[in-house]
Structure formats: structure tokens, C-alpha cells
Amino acid sequence: MTPVPVIVVTGPSGTGKTVTCWEIREILRERKVAHALIDMDNIRWCYVPGSPDRFNRSLGARNLAALWANFQQAGADRLVLSGIVEHAEDVGLIEEAVPGAHITVYRLHVAGPTLEDRMRERERGRGLARNLSRAMELAEPMARNRIEDHLIDADRGLDEIAQEIVDLSGWLS
């Protein structure tokens, strides 16, 4: 089985996972590093009242497996993922979906007031209260569970955050 280097950028909503991955994508494109970028939030979004899988983790893993197979067939040999990694089981789902995955988890961290400010700036309408509550709900268990390989200070410039992750990954060596 061919090893697949995987960068997973995680953190509560509002820490900048998605935009950090977009910036990582740009760094890798500039250096002509073949890769795919998948935002787990986008491939898990499905609402079914009463579903026992509150955050559609299983659905996300199945969709990830299908997308990764297609991206790999297109020539991608590395994967950048944005998404919530709250428990060790979340890493296991990625490993099952991406055969040969060598996963490194980077958890973005910002102080509580900064997180709340970012959520209020980003969210509009009816989803604000729910998404703000979920962001605050995730901060504590993520800090306690320490699933990450690297804790990244995300209270600074996007370019610095992305470059630190790329440097730590060793993908450009």
C-alpha cells in the first residue's frame, strides 16, 4: 500500500480551518506539489431528523473514501483535510477512508473571546446561535482529548499559520 501523507487541520468552528487549508493549497500549488483538498464539513452536511449520527461522521467517511479514490486516480498523492477531529475515532475514520494514510493533525487554537468574535463576524441569520454554541462546546474537549500532533496558535496572520503547518509537515523538503 502506498503511503498517503495527510494534513488534517482541526479546531472549533471559527478558528480558521477552512481558510488555513485554502492558504496551504496555495503554498503547495506554488511549489507544484500534487495534492487534494477536502473540507469535511461540506461532505458531511446532511440533515435527517432523529439520526443517531449527530454530526454525520460515518457519512463523511464514506464520502471521503469516494472523493479520495477519485482524486488519487486524477494524480493526487497527498491530502489536505479541514474538519472536526474531536475523538481518536475521527482519526480512525480518516484512516479507513484513505488507505495508506499517514495522518498528522494540526489543531488551531484561539482564545475564547476571539473565537466568539470570529463566529459573530462569520455567521449570519438563524445559524449563529447553534454554530456559536457548537464552537464553544468543542473547545474544551478538543483541549482535553489532545488528538493533535501539533497545536497551532491561530491568533495571527493566515499566511503565518499556513506556512507553519506546511513547514511542520515536511512536504516541501
Side-chain angles (χ1 to χ4, degrees):
M1 186 176 317
T2 305
V4 178
V6 180
I7 289 174
V8 176
V9 178
T10 192
S13 298
T15 54
K17 296 181 298 296
T18 300
V19 295
T20 296
C21 286
W22 292 344
E23 190 70 10
I24 290 169
R25 171 195 64 195
E26 293 307 316
I27 293 168
L28 296 175
R29 284 175 58 122
E30 287 172 2
R31 298 293 293 272
K32 301 196 182 325
V33 175
H35 68 284
L37 167 62
I38 299 173
D39 186 328
M40 292 300 294
D41 286 345
N42 289 330
I43 67 171
R44 286 194 331 235
W45 181 244
C46 177
Y47 176 70
V48 178
S51 172
D53 187 359
R54 179 178 172 201
F55 300 109
N56 298 314
R57 286 181 169 97
S58 296
L59 174 63
R62 290 190 310 273
N63 287 340
L64 174 59
L67 286 170
W68 173 246
N70 290 332
F71 283 135
Q72 196 172 36
Q73 187 175 16
D77 58 3
R78 297 167 191 259
L79 178 58
V80 178
L81 282 178
S82 170
I84 300 296
V85 176
E86 187 176 359
H87 307 285
E89 296 82 29
D90 297 327
V91 175
L93 288 171
I94 297 167
E95 289 171 336
E96 289 174 23
V98 181
H102 287 198
I103 299 168
T104 306
V105 178
Y106 301 85
R107 180 169 59 93
L108 303 182
H109 170 75
V110 296
T114 301
L115 184 63
E116 184 171 348
D117 289 346
R118 286 183 181 181
M119 289 300 295
R120 289 187 184 285
E121 184 178 304
R122 182 184 90 183
E123 296 295 328
R124 301 288 185 265
R126 295 180 181 184
L128 174 60
R130 179 178 47 82
N131 287 313
L132 181 57
S133 173
R134 178 66 175 146
M136 297 305 182
E137 173 189 328
L138 279 169
E140 191 275 322
M142 286 182 139
R144 182 184 65 243
N145 295 343
R146 305 184 73 138
I147 303 302
E148 74 275 358
D149 298 292
H150 301 280
L151 181 62
I152 306 295
D153 172 18
D155 199 6
R156 57 194 168 127
L158 178 60
D159 56 336
E160 293 176 61
I161 298 165
Q163 190 63 59
E164 179 179 355
I165 291 170
V166 171
D167 290 348
L168 287 168
S169 76
W171 287 15
L172 301 180
S173 303

